[in-house]
Amino acid sequence: MKLPPVEYEAPTTVAEAIDLLAEYLDEASVLAGGQSLIPLLALRLARPAVLIDINGIDELSGVSAADGWMTIGAMTREYVAEESQAVADAVPLLAAALPLIGHEAIRSRGTIGGSLAHADPAAELPAVARALDAEFVVRGPSGERVIPAAQWFEGYLTTSRRPDELLAEVRFQAAKPGTGVSFQEVSRRHGDFAMVGLAVSLVLSGGVISDARLAFAGVSDVPVRATAAEDLLTGDRPSTELFDEAARRATDDIDPPADLHGSSDYRKTVAAALVRRGLRAAADNAARGSN
Amino acid sequence: MADITLRVNGATRTGSPEARKTLADFLRDDLDLTGTHVGCEHGVCGACTVIVDGRAVRSCLMLAVQAAGHEVTTIEGLAADGGLGTLQQAMWDSHSFQCGFCTPGFVMQATALLNDHPDAGEQQIREALSGNICRCTGYQSIIDGVLLAAERNRER
């Protein structure tokens, strides 16, 4: 369908954008890449009175590395991050997930901050951010807040951003030496939202897993860390038996939603398979790379 | 309404679209460039794909006002001399199309791919075209057409 009538503002600075958000509050939607918001408008699932288009705010775009952290501006387009060697080096899990987002033309416009602020629990980037304990930097009338990923995702398409705040950037801790990553997903068609997705990051030190991070997409209304599996894996050496047990523990407590694409039980079975695959791939990745 | 100026197929164009008007509808309704097709209107089918600043984008997921100051290429902008370009000829030769509804989207997506990777291989082509839906061909003839264009690019 055609989009419903809507007012349109195009600020060119973060300060202007915050003023507009403070004025319109819940009546406003922030328009970044538009690859989720425009369909929501077309389908009448979102009916904002005003769109605050942040595409003209140059200070929100860009990738920079400093002091062991990679900072990605909220308006950074997905294809830009996908093509960035700095991102591939510092946040390999993000680099692994980016090519799986939608299709090429979607990533031409779609943004890192847009996907994370939209907070679709089946999307790739929320799972990556949750796995890596990313930090969300929001700016509002009363200044800046830094929100850890564990507190960012509150529910389906819901974050802890207040209506008068703008997501400005997302920070990822740079991968440690010995890191191996994998992003796994199963979807009906290539490029669709995953029925289940899994972000995995392992650090191997002398053949032992010193850090394990697993986060599911699509099994709940927020991305979900598999902490029981992480605890099991940490301190042990990669093996098929270990990964099988991790798959059991990772899926013990999840209760995925059912829809016409798959039952809850089916998704649980898929989730367990992805844990085994993802751990094997991440362990191989860690063994291959010397970073 | 906002006054906008943009470049479309190498020419400067102006318009006053409502904020809610998509780039796809602006191209079709305001600029009479009806070669860009509108299928699903929510970014799933790829029929409305155009090239903006060198990148393939869905013109139904971009507002016309957002194209102000940018460079847009539509299907009408290919082969400006009235003949067929390498890609178009190769797709013709490969019988890449049947009803033709999805054609402009596929051609623009493939154009963006070949601009960046003139000798793209089959896997790259399949990946690039994976977001475009065709209900007639079964895709194989479309892949064949783009592969043939890449082959002809290598020979030149």
Side-chain angles (χ1 to χ4, degrees), chain A:
Chain A
M1 280 197 285
K2 306 301 177 193
L3 310 188
V6 65
E7 295 295 312
Y8 176 79
E9 299 280 358
T12 55
T13 65
V14 170
E16 280 172 43
I18 292 168
D19 285 347
L20 287 163
L21 284 169
E23 182 184 344
Y24 291 105
L25 297 172
D26 286 339
E27 295 289 291
S29 286
V30 176
L31 175 59
Q35 305 301 287
S36 301
L37 178 56
I38 301 286
L40 289 183
L41 293 171
L43 298 167
R44 303 298 190 274
L45 296 173
R47 292 297 297 269
V50 57
L51 293 177
I52 299 177
D53 183 350
I54 58 170
N55 281 262
I57 306 179
D58 293 339
E59 61 191 292
L60 289 177
S61 289
V63 167
S64 61
D67 304 326
W69 287 81
M70 164 72 58
T71 301
I72 302 183
M75 261 307 300
T76 305
R77 309 242 181 238
E78 285 156 354
Y79 86 90
V80 171
E82 190 181 347
E83 293 175 356
S84 161
Q85 189 58 47
V87 169
D89 291 342
V91 199
L93 181 59
L94 180 60
L98 283 163
L100 302 175
I101 299 172
H103 302 279
E104 207 171 276
I106 299 294
R107 301 194 295 276
S108 292
R109 297 282 302 165
T111 65
I112 302 290
S115 174
L116 290 168
H118 181 56
D120 190 315
E124 288 84 0
L125 296 187
V128 169
R130 191 71 182 81
L132 298 181
D133 289 321
E135 294 184 350
F136 293 74
V137 180
V138 297
R139 299 204 180 114
S142 48
E144 187 173 289
R145 288 199 297 152
V146 179
I147 304 168
Q151 276 131 53
W152 176 254
F153 301 102
E154 292 194 329
Y156 183 71
L157 308 188
T158 307
T159 70
S160 49
R161 180 186 73 87
R162 295 182 193 127
D164 61 357
E165 288 176 325
L166 183 71
L167 175 60
E169 59 193 38
V170 185
R171 298 176 189 156
F172 295 89
Q173 206 157 13
K176 295 184 180 70
T179 296
V181 300
S182 176
F183 199 99
Q184 300 281 332
E185 64 181 34
V186 168
S187 55
R188 279 283 181 185
R189 290 165 302 245
H190 182 70
D192 277 8
F193 275 109
M195 282 190 282
V196 183
L198 177 72
V200 183
S201 179
L202 297 178
V203 179
L204 287 184
S205 314
V208 174
I209 299 168
S210 58
D211 185 43
R213 293 155 177 274
L214 292 83
F216 285 115
V219 304
S220 178
D221 61 347
V222 291
V224 173
R225 281 285 283 271
T227 45
E230 293 174 357
D231 292 345
L232 171 80
L233 291 159
T234 306
D236 217 332
R237 289 173 180 276
S239 71
T240 304
E241 297 70 33
L242 180 68
F243 292 168
D244 286 348
E245 181 57 24
R248 272 188 291 276
R249 294 207 187 173
T251 52
D252 262 354
D253 296 334
I254 61 169
D255 183 21
D259 62 20
L260 80 169
H261 295 301
S263 65
S264 182
D265 279 349
Y266 174 69
R267 282 187 159 84
K268 218 164 158 161
T269 306
V270 170
L274 294 188
V275 171
R276 291 190 294 269
R277 268 183 224 169
L279 287 171
R280 173 51 59 202
D284 289 350
N285 180 243
R288 264 201 313 277
S290 55
N291 65 322

